[in-house]
Amino acid sequence: MQEMQEENQNKEQERLVSAINSSIETLMKTKEGRLFLLHLLDMTGVFTAFYDEKNLPIFEGRRTVGAELLSLLKGQDKNNLSKLLYEE
């Protein structure tokens, strides 16, 4: 019984990863999609070293979300980040 539940959870996780990768691929195909992803990354402060001690928990929370988004982008295609940052 527990093996069946774990198998179902694994299949659901695989479907979710596949759907996320497909969504990232779709966004990366258009200039508007790439602009949106860059905007999200910018909002998270993931590329920023500056922080305000008073707002550190909020800043770190945003950066964590940004780091996860970077991981998803790289997981879908290792060249996604360079495509986002160096597009002309």
Side-chain angles (χ1 to χ4, degrees):
M1 180 82 154
Q2 185 175 358
E3 284 182 27
M4 187 186 289
Q5 287 177 335
E6 288 176 9
E7 187 176 321
N8 287 338
Q9 287 175 344
N10 289 340
K11 286 181 182 179
E12 185 60 33
Q13 182 67 24
E14 288 173 13
R15 282 192 287 267
L16 178 61
V17 168
S18 178
I20 289 170
N21 284 337
S22 178
S23 298
I24 290 171
E25 183 179 10
T26 299
L27 287 168
M28 289 297 297
K29 286 181 181 178
T30 66
K31 186 171 187 163
E32 294 81 4
R34 292 187 298 276
L35 179 62
F36 175 71
L37 289 169
L38 269 176
H39 178 67
L40 287 178
L41 288 169
D42 187 50
M43 286 176 51
T44 68
V46 73
F47 300 121
T48 305
F50 172 78
Y51 66 90
D52 176 0
E53 237 179 80
K54 185 173 76 175
N55 295 316
L56 185 59
I58 294 169
F59 180 76
E60 285 303 316
R62 285 183 175 191
R63 282 178 53 103
T64 299
V65 171
E68 182 63 29
L69 179 55
L70 282 175
S71 177
L72 290 169
L73 287 166
K74 290 178 188 176
Q76 192 276 325
D77 181 333
K78 66 180 181 175
N79 297 313
N80 277 341
L81 188 57
S82 62
K83 289 176 189 175
L84 284 175
L85 297 177
Y86 302 111
E87 179 180 42
E88 296 187 15

